[in-house]
């Protein structure tokens, strides 16, 4: 099917009427660290090679095989959250977990509130006694409840530490830890364990709009504490709960502790005694987060001549249908983004640059966005690869994420080189990326928290714009396929029955409560 008339475009753009975004509410990031800034350029260009993207260690040139997972066995960190309710602690916890898991660290969040609800439900089933978890339960004057809450916090920490001993890397204690005494007890317990350190992360927020939005999310997103309560009464009770914590709250100021104090989700960050590679990585990631409303648009380049010929890699130009897609994009994008700012990112390969050439936005070219390097298989069809390298072909089908092409890359290699892109995506407002199939699969898996096993089989079709809208606990997604024909380059996971299989996101943007699942 071809796109011939303005009426065809108008039918498509109707579906995008929600894509108009609010103007940014915070100042932009410093230019030195922005996309295209000197720091990012230096980082990006330092690993570039003259050929397909990234230099390959001499030890793997001419050798196809699996790439071993990095050894993170010595990484053992307790992340203890600090902050009043409705200040974004769970948001930061889940974002950090998603990022570190994407980089293949073993990460788990231990939420004290979830443990409280689970035990209360078990108690009700066994004895018929239902605990009162309204605002009075969280008062420091309620001696019995305070003891119960202290026990829950201690037990959560014990489970976290045991999980680290069993092989985990980063355990996140999602709790208020709102007094110096509570933080001292966490520090004292962790100090008893050899090789495990604790870093406190405090989320401070004095923005009334953000607090109000967090309260609204709490009472409207399925919290079991308010399952039988009207939204109005739930809001009043939750506000009273916040007051109970405010009465004893002590912002973190203990100079001997390792901590990050994040003010208004990235407007200001204070670091104290942050040591080592992993702690610094966590700190840098959290410094880049923001809550500005924005959308991230993904699109593969238009159909290329290599796509038509069934070849992988290369630097071919767009086909005639690919060029038609490029010419149709301005109406699809500009008619629906409104006056909101938008920056277009492309790889250095001509098919992505050609795809974005007609869009009237600032464009930046990233070497890091170049397609997965197929090494000696570059420019070959899959049939040719299977004939020339049958053992390699079988090994890649057996473990596509870990398999590294002879003289080229694996999906794991691509994830590593895309880390600065993820950092910059978290900093930015509205971004449109014209990329390649493997690249967009890696980025998509990050935003939807998909596993490494599923990542290489995510369906990213040609001539389709994917709109991701980050929310507090995930990502909303919409897809807009322009009616311009293109070849199907998707190869399904071995053993699946259909080429139409689509790896689905593991969750929605709603907050997830686990108490009902135990």
């Amino acid at each position: 099917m071809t796109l011939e008339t303005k009426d065809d475009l108008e039918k498509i753009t109707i579906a995008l009427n929600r894509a108009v975004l609010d103007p940014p509410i915070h100042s932009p990031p410093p230019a030195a660290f922005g996309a295209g800034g000197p720091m990012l350029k230096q980082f990006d260009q330092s690993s570039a090679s003259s050929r397909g993207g990234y230099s390959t260690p001499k030890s793997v040139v001419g050798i196809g095989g699996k790439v071993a997972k990095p050894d993170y066995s010595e990484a053992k960190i307790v992340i203890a959250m600090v902050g009043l309710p409705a200040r974004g602690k769970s948001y930061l916890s889940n974002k950090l977990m998603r990022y570190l898991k994407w980089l293949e660290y073993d990460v788990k969040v231990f939420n004290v509130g979830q443990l409280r609800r689970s035990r209360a439900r078990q108690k009700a089933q066994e004895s018929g006694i239902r605990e009162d978890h309204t605002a009075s339960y969280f008062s420091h004057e309620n001696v019995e409840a305070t003891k119960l809450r202290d026990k829950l916090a201690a037990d959560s920490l014990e489970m976290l530490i045991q999980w680290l001993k069993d092989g985990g890397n980063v355990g996140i204690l999602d709790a208020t830890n709102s007094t110096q005494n509570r933080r001292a007890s966490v520090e004292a317990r962790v100090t008893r364990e050899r090789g495990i350190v604790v870093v406190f992360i405090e989320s401070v927020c004095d923005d009334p709009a953000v607090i109000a939005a967090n309260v609204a999310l709490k009472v409207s997103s399925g919290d079991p504490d308010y399952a039988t309560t009207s939204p109005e009464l739930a809001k009043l009770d939750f506000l009273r709960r916040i007051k109970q914590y405010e009465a004893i709250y002590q912002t973190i100021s203990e100079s001997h502790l390792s901590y990050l104090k994040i003010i208004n989700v990235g407007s200001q960050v204070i670091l104290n005694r942050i040591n080592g590679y992993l702690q610094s990585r966590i700190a840098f990631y959290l410094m880049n987060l923001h809550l500005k409303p924005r959308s991230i648009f993904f699109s593969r380049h238009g159909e290329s001549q290599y796509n038509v010929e069934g070849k992988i890699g290369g630097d071919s130009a767009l086909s005639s249908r690919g060029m038609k897609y490029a010419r149709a994009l301005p109406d699809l994008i500009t008619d629906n983004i409104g006056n909101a700012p938008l920056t277009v990112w492309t790889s250095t390969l001509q098919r992505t640059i050609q795809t974005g050439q007609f869009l009237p936005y600032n464009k930046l070219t990233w070497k890091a966005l170049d397609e997965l390097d197929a090494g000696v298989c570059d420019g070959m069809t899959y049939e040719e690869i299977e004939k020339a390298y049958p053992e390699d072909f079988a090994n890649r089908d057996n473990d596509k994420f870990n398999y590294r092409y002879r003289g080229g890359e694996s999906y794991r290699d691509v994830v590593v080189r895309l880390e600065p892109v993820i950092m910059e995506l978290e900093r930015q407002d509205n971004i449109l990326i014209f990329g390649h199939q493997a690249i967009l699969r890696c980025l998509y898996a990050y935003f939807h928290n998909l596993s490494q096993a599923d990542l290489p089989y995510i369906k990213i079709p040609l001539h389709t714009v994917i709109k991701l809208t980050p929310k507090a606990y995930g990502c909303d997604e919409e897809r807009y396929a322009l009616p311009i024909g293109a070849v199907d380059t998707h190869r399904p996971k071995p053993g699946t029955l259909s080429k139409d299989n689509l790896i689905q996101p593991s969750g929605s943007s709603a907050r997830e409560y686990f108490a009902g699942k135990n």
Side-chain angles (χ1 to χ4, degrees), residues 157 161 184-198 257:
L157 182 58
I161 290 172
S185 66
V186 171
E187 180 197 19
R189 176 63 189 90
V190 174
T191 301
R192 284 159 43 193
E193 301 294 335
R194 183 178 180 181
I196 301 179
V197 298
V198 59
L257 296 180

Side-chain angles (χ1 to χ4, degrees), residues 72-73 75-76 106 162-169:
Y72 294 138
S73 58
K76 303 287 182 182
D106 197 359
Q162 186 58 52
W163 177 81
L164 289 176
K165 289 170 143 183
D166 291 340
N169 301 129

Side-chain angles (χ1 to χ4, degrees), residues 376-377 380 384-394 406:
V376 298
C377 297
M380 299 174 67
E384 290 170 341
I385 296 171
E386 186 174 17
K387 183 177 180 179
Y389 308 107
E391 185 177 344
D392 292 47
F393 188 86
R406 299 184 181 214

Side-chain angles (χ1 to χ4, degrees), residues 367-440:
K367 189 72 174 173
L369 291 175
D370 282 3
E371 179 60 302
L372 184 151
D373 186 350
V376 298
C377 297
D378 188 79
M380 299 174 67
T381 66
Y382 283 113
E383 291 76 16
E384 290 170 341
I385 296 171
E386 186 174 17
K387 183 177 180 179
Y389 308 107
E391 185 177 344
D392 292 47
F393 188 86
N395 286 340
R396 189 166 193 264
D397 268 355
N398 182 55
D399 190 354
K400 195 173 180 180
F401 181 79
N402 292 305
Y403 179 82
R404 176 185 282 153
Y405 279 108
R406 299 184 181 214
E409 292 181 298
S410 66
Y411 270 92
R412 171 175 275 127
D413 295 324
V414 173
V415 165
V416 171
R417 69 163 155 104
L418 284 176
E419 185 180 6
V421 176
I422 288 295
M423 289 289 187
E424 191 62 17
L425 276 175
E426 290 291 2
R427 297 175 64 82
Q428 292 294 319
D429 297 329
N430 307 313
I431 297 293
L432 168 58
I433 298 178
F434 290 118
H436 307 269
Q437 183 167 241
I439 301 303
L440 296 185

Side-chain angles (χ1 to χ4, degrees), residues 1-220:
M1 184 181 293
T2 60
L3 186 65
E4 300 291 350
T5 69
K6 181 69 175 179
D7 289 338
D8 291 325
L9 279 172
E10 289 176 352
K11 291 177 183 178
I12 296 166
T13 57
I14 289 174
L16 283 167
N17 59 1
R18 287 178 293 169
V20 178
L21 304 173
D22 296 330
I25 56 176
H26 294 294
S27 58
F33 291 92
M39 298 300 290
L40 253 297
K41 280 186 176 179
Q42 183 178 358
F43 193 107
D44 192 33
Q45 293 172 356
S46 63
S47 56
S49 70
S50 60
R51 185 188 173 279
Y54 291 80
S55 58
T56 308
K58 291 182 179 180
S59 60
V60 302
V61 172
I63 301 173
K66 294 181 182 179
V67 183
K69 179 180 177 180
D71 183 5
Y72 294 138
S73 58
E74 298 301 314
K76 303 287 182 182
I77 297 181
V78 175
I79 300 292
M81 303 304 296
V82 177
L84 292 166
R87 263 58 177 187
K89 297 186 303 300
S90 293
Y91 166 75
L92 293 175
S93 297
N94 283 280
K95 288 285 287 186
L96 181 59
M97 177 180 68
R98 186 189 312 169
Y99 165 68
L100 292 175
K101 286 177 70 174
W102 186 72
L103 293 174
E104 296 191 86
Y105 288 94
D106 197 359
V107 189
K108 188 173 181 179
V109 175
F110 293 79
N111 184 285
V112 176
Q114 291 172 5
L115 181 63
R116 167 177 58 81
R117 285 184 286 269
S118 178
R119 289 188 175 176
R121 189 185 66 260
Q122 183 178 1
K123 180 178 179 180
Q125 292 172 345
E126 294 175 352
S127 66
I129 299 174
R130 292 188 173 275
E131 292 183 355
D132 178 12
H133 288 175
T134 58
S136 60
Y137 176 86
F138 300 92
S139 171
H140 67 287
E141 296 179 354
N142 187 333
V143 177
E144 182 179 355
T146 298
K147 290 180 180 179
L148 290 173
R149 289 188 287 112
D150 288 344
K151 179 70 163 56
L152 286 166
D155 288 351
S156 292
L157 182 58
E158 289 299 327
M159 289 187 287
L160 186 159
I161 290 172
Q162 186 58 52
W163 177 81
L164 289 176
K165 289 170 143 183
D166 291 340
N169 301 129
V170 180
I172 303 175
L173 184 64
D174 187 2
T176 56
N177 294 312
S178 54
T179 66
Q180 291 184 357
N181 285 340
R182 173 65 64 81
R183 294 191 288 271
S185 66
V186 171
E187 180 197 19
R189 176 63 189 90
V190 174
T191 301
R192 284 159 43 193
E193 301 294 335
R194 183 178 180 181
I196 301 179
V197 298
V198 59
V199 177
F200 293 91
I201 298 177
E202 180 178 14
S203 182
V204 179
C205 182
D206 56 13
D207 185 332
V210 174
I211 296 172
N214 287 344
V215 171
L217 179 64
K218 174 76 173 181
V219 301
S220 65

